[in-house]
Amino acid sequence: IASALAAGARRGLLVKGGGVLEAIGKVKNIAFDKTGTLTEGKPKVTDVEALGTLSKEEVLRIAAAAESGSSHPLAVAIVNHAKAMNLSFTPVESEAIPGKGLQATVDGMDVLIGAASRLGVVEKDALARASALEAQGKSVSVVLVDKKVAGLIAMRDEPRTDAIEGIKRITALGLKPIMLTGDNRANAEAVGKALGMEVKAELLPEDKLAIIKELDGDGGIAKVGDGINDAPALAAATVGIAMGSGTDVALEAADAAVLNNKVTDVAGLVTLSRKTMSIIRQNVAIALGLKAVFLVTTVLGITGLWIAILADTGATVLVTINALRLLKAKF
């Protein structure tokens, strides 16, 4: 176990103890968050549309002011785009609405930002335009000002360069990968199709938690995520795995962390676990086997007591050397 934890740490794979390491290799399902886990987590704004009396620039300025206090990748994208457009805005305090978006007060106006379906938007023009943008594989946030639709902001986040290889390796290990995301279905399925994995989209945090609990009883499940909304699912899963770039809440709730933010490292954790348990079984067989052999030969008078003691010490050396092979193992 010590060799495995050290070998993992060298690769940027941190595991909270031997029990967690053993459990990782036994799970049958691995659930991934999308944004920041399977994707780069660095979306860029592609479209800003005004649907009310405000201009596009004003919609973007208000959204940036409200989102400036959030660390969510979509919020960062909006703020960065506003800065790139040289728009002047004053950051304000905002309050997150779990699974929906956020609310804030900007220049005396009540502002709500989030997915149209989550905020109860009923305006047909806004819903139609949001659906059209989502069909292009984009994430769309609607901006409500004083409970009226002011505009839409569309963003796109590309899959990580190693995500396809990571999912292939996980599938090759006999595990079932599944995406759990609160993002719109069209965008999620576009990413899922590219990666070759099952997708469950438009989920609230409690929906993710329910699915995790269901799969936990079906062979066990590892949950991989990086955000605040992932924390309950990370804690409820058989094994919670946080991406190194994730929030402090996610890292605290998880049982293991992938510091290099590579999807392939998730498969590496499973491989490390299985190799560790294989070597443990080998070591138990070596230790007990040698004891059994010299117990019998000593009783029969074939070998002496000192030879048996030497063999017992030799067994300790052998299992230690065998365990140290993990330090150079590839996973």
Side-chain angles (χ1 to χ4, degrees), residues 11 271 275 326 328-331:
R11 278 275 305 272
T271 303
K275 285 187 175 183
L326 279 170
K328 293 186 179 181
K330 294 182 179 180
F331 51 89

Side-chain angles (χ1 to χ4, degrees), residues 34 66 259 287 289:
K34 183 178 78 70
L259 299 186

Side-chain angles (χ1 to χ4, degrees), residues 34 179 181 183-193 199-201:
K34 183 178 78 70
M179 181 196 300
T181 178
D183 210 343
N184 70 79
R185 188 169 303 280
N187 187 3
E189 289 182 347
V191 175
K193 184 177 180 180
V199 174
K200 292 186 182 295

Side-chain angles (χ1 to χ4, degrees), residues 121-139:
V121 174
V122 296
E123 286 87 340
K124 293 183 178 179
D125 290 344
L127 293 174
R129 188 56 193 149
S131 296
L133 291 169
E134 289 171 352
Q136 300 173 23
K138 300 174 182 178
S139 297

Side-chain angles (χ1 to χ4, degrees), residues 238-306:
T238 310
V239 178
I241 303 174
M243 301 298 275
S245 60
T247 61
D248 292 341
V249 175
L251 289 168
E252 181 66 26
D255 302 299
V258 178
L259 299 186
N260 294 325
N261 298 312
K262 293 182 178 180
V263 180
T264 50
D265 280 349
V266 176
L269 268 175
V270 177
T271 303
L272 174 62
S273 172
R274 293 181 179 180
K275 285 187 175 183
T276 301
M277 297 314 298
S278 175
I279 286 183
I280 286 176
R281 286 189 290 269
Q282 292 171 19
N283 283 352
V284 170
I286 291 171
L288 295 182
L290 282 174
K291 291 178 187 296
V293 168
F294 283 95
L295 173 63
V296 172
T297 55
T298 301
V299 169
L300 295 176
I302 298 173
T303 57
L305 179 61
W306 287 108

